[in-house]
Amino acid sequence: MQTQIHDFSMAYDEEGQGLPVLFIHGYPLNRQMWQFQTSGLNAVARILAPDLRGFGDSQPTEGNYSMELLADDCAAFLDALQINKPVVVAGLSMGGYVTMAFYRKYAARMAGMILTATRPGPDSVEGKAGRDQAAARVQRGGVQEAVHPMLTKLLSPVTYQERPELVAQIKKIMEHNTVQGILGALMGMKERPDSTPLLTKIDLPVLILHGADDQIIPSKEAESMHQAIRGSQLEILPRAGHLLNMEQPDLFNQALSRFLATL
Ligand code: MLT
């Protein structure tokens, strides 16, 4: 499905009924990364999974995509669907950065928060330089230049060994994005603010999920967020890397169902 949001047409999936859960994908992915949640959780919630601008089937726009801009897009998406009651926002990695930006601006629109494979801190100096190098490679060589470096570290070593078909599927998802989208997100992530001071202020039910084998964001980030966010729950999934919701969909969905049942 498609809906007009600000200056672009946004693609999204919607399934199920009940409490809306807004799933925000990571980089350089798109809404297809939530396919096991759309199919596995539609009996317990109303699943909403948009493609952020420039990703998947959403139109790209030029310029930097700040995490705040992407949070504004998500709020406008809820408006377009006429959802005025609070929703659960579930973001993975970059989607988690957007979730924290969403909380900063739209806390009253949230009934709960799910932070998956993410971290609150900003990019380090080296991290920012890495964004510039990645952007230069993508400008020269296209989307593939973003796919290859990510594909080698996105998953648990066990997933690479045992599930080549899942690895191939994830590669295809990453290929279905635009150069403008990738550049916009790289620059937006590079400039994102430090959300660490926000953590102690969060006044919502929070579930933190992380893969034990995450090679991109170490699980100690999840443990520190758990310590800082009052009343938060933490689950570290075994045999899962950065894309734990696709590598361990059953364990992931069970954790979400348990959390949603408490709201
Ligand atoms: C993601 O999965 O969204 C990215 O790894 C986040 C990042 O590059 O900081």
Side-chain angles (χ1 to χ4, degrees):
M1 284 172 281
Q2 292 272 344
T3 184
Q4 186 66 28
I5 300 292
H6 300 140
D7 49 350
F8 72 102
S9 172
M10 179 181 253
Y12 67 99
D13 289 329
E14 177 179 11
E15 272 199 45
Q17 286 173 355
L19 179 62
V21 184
L22 174 66
F23 284 95
I24 309 177
H25 64 76
Y27 164 94
L29 291 136
N30 58 53
R31 73 188 196 280
Q32 289 175 40
M33 63 158 277
W34 299 116
Q35 57 190 268
F36 302 125
Q37 284 63 56
T38 312
S39 60
L41 288 170
N42 61 20
V44 297
R46 179 176 175 192
I47 310 299
L48 304 169
D51 280 336
L52 296 172
R53 57 172 78 203
F55 289 86
D57 299 311
S58 284
Q59 281 177 333
T61 56
E62 297 296 333
N64 292 5
Y65 301 175
S66 68
M67 300 302 104
E68 191 179 52
L69 173 73
L70 298 176
D72 288 343
D73 289 345
C74 290
F77 168 62
L78 296 177
D79 291 341
L81 267 57
Q82 299 184 323
I83 296 175
N84 307 313
K85 292 209 175 119
V87 305
V88 175
V89 182
L92 183 137
S93 200
M94 178 181 77
Y97 310 156
V98 177
T99 303
M100 292 180 232
F102 193 95
Y103 183 78
R104 253 193 298 278
K105 289 193 86 170
Y106 305 106
R109 298 191 75 161
M110 294 176 80
M113 188 189 290
I114 301 170
L115 296 170
T116 301
T118 195
R119 64 177 151 218
D123 278 0
S124 61
V125 173
E126 301 77 47
K128 286 181 200 282
R131 302 284 187 203
D132 289 335
Q133 286 154 12
R137 280 196 305 272
V138 170
Q139 256 158 346
R140 276 196 307 272
V143 171
Q144 284 297 343
E145 291 294 328
V147 172
H148 286 299
M150 282 303 274
L151 195 61
T152 55
K153 52 187 182 186
L154 202 55
L155 307 170
S156 162
V158 185
T159 308
Y160 289 113
Q161 275 155 28
E162 297 180 1
R163 315 224 2 234
E165 74 304 329
L166 182 65
V167 179
Q169 193 190 356
I170 291 166
K171 179 168 182 280
K172 268 189 140 172
I173 295 175
M174 291 199 285
E175 286 167 346
H176 189 56
N177 291 317
T178 68
V179 166
Q180 290 111 301
I182 287 170
L183 296 176
L186 280 170
M187 292 307 110
M189 288 192 286
K190 177 184 164 189
E191 288 166 7
R192 75 184 189 281
D194 186 2
S195 293
T196 312
L198 186 76
L199 300 181
T200 52
K201 302 194 182 89
I202 295 176
D203 188 19
L204 281 177
V206 177
L207 173 64
I208 300 163
L209 290 164
H210 216 94
D213 305 334
D214 193 326
Q215 302 179 63
I216 294 180
I217 298 181
S219 56
K220 69 176 186 343
E221 293 276 1
E223 279 153 19
S224 330
M225 286 197 294
H226 175 49
Q227 274 163 19
I229 304 175
R230 205 174 336 111
S232 60
Q233 296 170 44
L234 169 67
E235 296 211 29
I236 309 270
L237 304 191
R239 295 167 67 88
H242 195 58
L243 222 44
L244 57 158
N245 67 307
M246 296 193 82
E247 298 177 81
Q248 286 283 20
D250 292 345
L251 290 182
F252 187 91
N253 289 354
Q254 283 157 17
L256 253 74
S257 297
R258 279 195 297 273
F259 176 69
L260 295 175
T262 65
L263 301 181

